[in-house]
């Protein structure tokens, strides 16, 4: 087998592979003999089918299969041995391959178009300084957090009559149309709220259904219809009130402290506030670190220049998407594609330089964290058997054969997190102390 690479320029080239009979003949003959032993053809005893007939029936498919096998290994090995800086994947030259005469030819030539990225280096110490934020939650922020928690952990009551912010359950009727519904009062426009305020269970309310809701989305949610269908709902309807639900904020008592923090973690408002401040500060610290990661990524992309084979990439993207996207559609998102490619090259360079590796146990822990997040505040670490349950669910997720990419998705997340940690640790950054409002303003501008 003869393999050669011809560069058309620094970023593109063509790999040529010439396969001769000596490369494949022995294995093809062996496979034909195996096929003959197993072939069941009417008129011949097993194993006694003439070889010319075997070659006629299966010779070409076995030849193609064997040569494709040889090509796959040869191209892959050549790329690894020569440490080629590939972008995308080798693209077989389809027209040349289609011209092969598999019945007559004994020597076969295959061509692959290759794209290369330019040489680059990542020196984190030399990247321009990025901002790092230290956020301090003030009293206003803590007070707002407490009020939100009081609502979140409040109780549901069923008052006698409707007040603003209540949730009203009932049934719409208009001709043959009957629909059970839940209407939050905040979805009703201010002018129409008087229709509902003061209503009691059993009352029948009449109103123009297309006039009382704030918008089409609110009407769709209340009626169970799709947003694009609600324009059909017009005219007067009857609405029978069947239940009224009101959320009453929790009191600042021991039961509330236990629900938010866990049993006996706080015994009075002062200790509750103290721990809540720590939680809020930790949350903002995570958000600040996330923002730092984004800024660091942007700084690297801005300052690490990598030449890419744009013409090759455009053709490759059209090819791998099997014609689902036209060249014009590829062009619309091409800048983002180049950005993603460059970022992956930078990440891999950093990972190699700092020996970033992800162990199996780290992927398992990532899956367990995902399970904890999905359950939100419903899981407590001190619940008996809770860790065993989390691990069982996580392992089931990782081993789900119907979703074989689950493991790789979490592996890639863990890899990206570890690379980002290296970047954040090594890249120059200065700390700016800001308040919550300023931080939200900065984050919103991203």
């Amino acid at each position: 087998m003869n393999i050669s690479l011809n560069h058309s320029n620094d970023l593109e080239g063509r790999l040529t592979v010439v396969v001769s009979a000596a490369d494949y003949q022995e294995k093809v003959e062996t496979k034909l003999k195996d096929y003959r032993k197993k072939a069941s053809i009417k008129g011949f005893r097993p194993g006694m089918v003439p070889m010319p007939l075997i070659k006629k029936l299966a010779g070409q498919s076995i030849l193609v299969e064997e040569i494709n096998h040889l090509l796959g290994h040869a191209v892959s090995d050549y790329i690894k041995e020569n440490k080629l800086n590939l972008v995308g994947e080798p693209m077989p030259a389809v027209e040349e391959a289609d011209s092969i005469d598999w019945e007559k030819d004994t020597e076969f030539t295959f061509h692959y178009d290759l794209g290369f990225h330019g040489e680059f280096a990542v020196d984190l110490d030399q990247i321009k300084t990025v901002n790092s934020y230290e956020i301090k939650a003030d009293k206003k922020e803590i007070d707002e957090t407490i009020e939100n928690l009081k609502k979140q952990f409040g109780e549901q009551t069923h008052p006698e009559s409707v007040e603003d912010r209540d949730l009203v359950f009932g049934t719409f009727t208009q001709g043959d149309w009957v629909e059970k519904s839940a209407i939050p009062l905040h979805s009703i426009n201010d002018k129409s709220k008087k229709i509902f305020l003061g209503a009691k269970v059993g009352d029948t309310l009449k109103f123009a259904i297309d006039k009382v809701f704030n918008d089409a989305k609110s009407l769709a949610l209340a009626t169970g219809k799709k947003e694009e269908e609600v324009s059909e709902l017009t005219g007067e309807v009857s609405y029978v009130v069947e239940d009224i639900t009101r959320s009453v904020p929790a009191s600042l008592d021991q039961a509330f402290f236990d629900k938010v923090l866990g049993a006996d973690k706080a015994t009075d408002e002062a200790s509750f506030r103290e721990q809540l401040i720590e939680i809020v500060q930790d949350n903002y610290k995570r958000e600040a670190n996330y923002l730092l990661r984004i800024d660091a990524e942007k700084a690297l992309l801005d300052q690490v220049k990598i030449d890419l084979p744009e013409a090759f990439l455009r053709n490759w993207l059209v090819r791998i998407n099997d014609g689902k996207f036209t060249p014009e559609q590829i062009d619309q998102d091409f800048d983002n594609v180049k950005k993603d490619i460059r970022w992956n090259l930078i990440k891999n360079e950093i990972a190699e330089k700092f020996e970033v590796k992800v162990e199996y146990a780290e992927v398992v822990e990532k899956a367990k964290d995902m399970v904890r997040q999905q359950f939100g505040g419903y899981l407590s670490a001190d619940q008996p058997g809770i860790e065993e349950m989390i691990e069982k669910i996580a392992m089931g997720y990782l081993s789900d054969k119907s979703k074989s990419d689950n493991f790789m998705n979490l592996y890639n997340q863990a890899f990206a997190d570890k690379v980002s940690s290296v970047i954040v640790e090594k890249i120059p950054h200065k700390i700016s102390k800001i308040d919550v409002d300023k931080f939200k303003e900065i984050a919103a501008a991203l």
Side-chain angles (χ1 to χ4, degrees):
M1 188 180 302
N2 182 30
I3 304 178
S4 59
L5 175 61
N6 179 38
H7 282 271
S8 54
N9 55 56
D10 289 341
L11 300 176
E12 294 185 18
R14 172 163 279 201
L15 189 68
T16 300
V17 183
V18 180
V19 182
S20 63
D23 299 315
Y24 61 81
Q25 194 65 51
E26 184 178 344
K27 288 187 177 180
V28 168
E29 291 294 337
T30 299
K31 287 185 177 181
L32 285 169
K33 289 176 183 177
D34 288 341
Y35 185 88
R36 185 188 186 201
K37 291 177 184 178
K38 300 172 185 176
S40 178
I41 299 176
K42 190 174 181 180
F44 298 96
R45 286 181 295 159
M48 300 301 293
V49 181
M51 184 57 77
L53 180 56
I54 292 295
K55 288 182 177 180
K56 184 177 180 181
L57 292 172
Q60 184 172 314
S61 63
I62 289 175
L63 174 63
V64 172
E65 180 184 347
E66 179 57 29
I67 287 181
N68 282 335
H69 177 76
L70 285 170
L71 284 172
H73 283 283
V75 172
S76 177
D77 291 345
Y78 184 89
I79 291 169
K80 289 178 183 177
E81 289 168 7
N82 290 275
K83 298 180 180 179
L84 300 181
N85 296 329
L86 289 195
V87 175
E89 298 168 351
M91 280 199 301
V94 178
E95 291 183 7
E96 287 90 335
D98 288 344
S99 67
I100 290 175
D101 188 336
W102 291 99
E103 290 185 1
K104 297 179 180 179
D105 294 345
T106 57
E107 183 175 273
F108 304 94
T109 300
F110 301 89
H111 302 284
Y112 296 86
D113 292 320
L114 306 180
F116 310 94
H117 64 79
E119 296 289 341
F120 69 98
V122 181
D123 188 346
L124 296 178
D125 294 332
Q126 298 303 313
I127 300 299
K128 292 180 182 177
T129 300
V130 297
N131 288 317
S132 174
Y133 301 104
E134 185 178 302
I135 310 153
K136 184 168 179 60
D138 56 18
K139 184 177 182 299
K140 175 188 171 186
E141 180 74 13
I142 299 303
D143 287 343
E144 289 178 355
T145 301
I146 290 175
E147 289 305 311
N148 289 333
L149 288 170
K150 285 167 66 177
K151 292 176 184 177
Q152 180 182 341
F153 290 96
E155 294 183 359
Q156 299 294 325
T157 63
H158 300 276
E160 290 186 1
S161 60
V162 177
E163 292 183 5
D164 202 3
R165 314 304 296 180
D166 286 349
L167 181 64
V168 183
F169 293 87
T171 301
F172 284 113
T173 303
Q174 186 187 59
D176 295 333
W177 178 57
V178 179
E179 185 72 39
K180 290 280 186 183
S181 173
I183 303 177
L185 257 288
H186 64 75
S187 70
I188 302 297
N189 60 54
D190 290 339
K191 183 178 178 181
S192 302
K193 281 184 180 178
K194 61 185 179 183
I195 299 170
F196 292 84
L197 295 176
K200 298 180 179 180
V201 173
D203 286 354
T204 299
L205 311 179
K206 293 183 181 293
F207 51 85
I209 193 169
D210 54 324
K211 304 294 185 184
V212 302
F213 288 91
N214 286 324
D215 49 39
K217 182 177 181 180
S218 298
L219 178 54
L221 289 171
T223 57
K225 291 186 176 293
K226 294 179 181 178
E227 200 168 329
E228 58 268 23
E229 297 174 344
V230 297
S231 59
E232 303 169 4
L233 297 173
T234 59
E236 186 176 83
V237 297
S238 294
Y239 186 80
V240 178
V241 178
E242 297 169 357
D243 191 20
I244 305 164
T245 299
R246 182 176 301 158
S247 180
V248 179
S251 301
L252 283 172
D253 54 21
Q254 190 62 51
F256 174 68
F257 302 151
D258 290 348
K259 285 179 183 178
V260 176
L261 299 177
D264 301 322
K265 296 291 178 65
T267 56
D268 54 29
E269 184 177 348
S271 59
F272 175 74
R273 280 181 172 272
E274 184 178 330
Q275 293 184 59
L276 192 61
I277 289 171
E278 290 183 15
I279 293 171
V280 171
Q281 290 288 159
D282 285 343
N283 288 340
Y284 279 121
K285 185 176 181 180
R286 282 193 292 271
E287 291 188 33
N289 285 338
Y290 175 70
L291 189 58
L292 176 58
R293 285 173 58 169
I294 293 175
D295 286 345
E297 175 182 336
K298 185 176 184 301
L300 283 163
L301 285 168
D302 287 344
Q303 296 171 62
V304 177
K305 304 302 179 185
I306 307 174
D307 292 328
L308 296 176
E310 297 195 6
F312 169 85
L313 283 173
R314 285 187 170 90
N315 292 331
W316 175 69
L317 289 167
V318 171
R319 179 87 66 89
I320 64 170
N321 284 291
D322 295 324
K324 293 177 184 176
F325 301 103
T326 64
E328 291 74 22
Q329 290 172 318
I330 295 293
D331 279 344
Q332 290 176 5
D333 199 44
F334 194 57
D335 284 343
N336 287 329
V337 171
K338 290 191 294 181
K339 178 182 174 182
D340 288 342
I341 291 172
R342 290 174 55 233
W343 180 238
N344 281 322
L345 290 170
I346 291 169
K347 278 197 305 184
N348 291 336
E349 177 73 11
I350 292 170
E352 183 176 353
K353 184 175 182 178
F354 293 95
E355 299 181 344
V356 174
K357 295 179 181 178
V358 176
E359 304 295 339
Y360 177 77
E362 293 174 293
V363 181
V364 172
E365 194 57 40
K366 196 80 175 172
K368 289 163 70 174
D369 285 343
M370 181 191 70
V371 174
R372 293 186 186 100
Q373 290 172 10
Q374 287 176 341
F375 278 96
Y378 294 99
L379 297 181
S380 176
D382 55 7
Q383 287 178 259
I386 196 65
E387 284 302 316
E388 290 82 356
M389 184 195 77
I390 290 172
E391 183 164 2
K392 183 177 179 180
I393 295 173
M395 295 305 294
Y397 176 83
L398 291 175
S399 59
D400 187 347
K401 293 181 180 179
S402 67
K403 297 178 181 177
S404 57
D405 56 347
N406 284 353
F407 181 88
M408 282 310 301
N409 286 340
L410 289 182
Y411 175 92
N412 289 334
Q413 288 179 31
F415 176 78
D417 287 345
K418 294 188 82 169
V419 172
S420 290
S421 294
V422 171
I423 294 171
V424 168
E425 178 187 348
K426 302 292 184 182
I427 200 168
H429 59 273
K430 62 179 181 181
I431 298 176
S432 299
K433 294 185 178 183
I434 58 175
D435 60 24
V436 173
D437 290 338
K438 183 62 178 177
F439 176 75
K440 289 180 178 178
E441 181 185 326
I442 294 170
L446 291 177

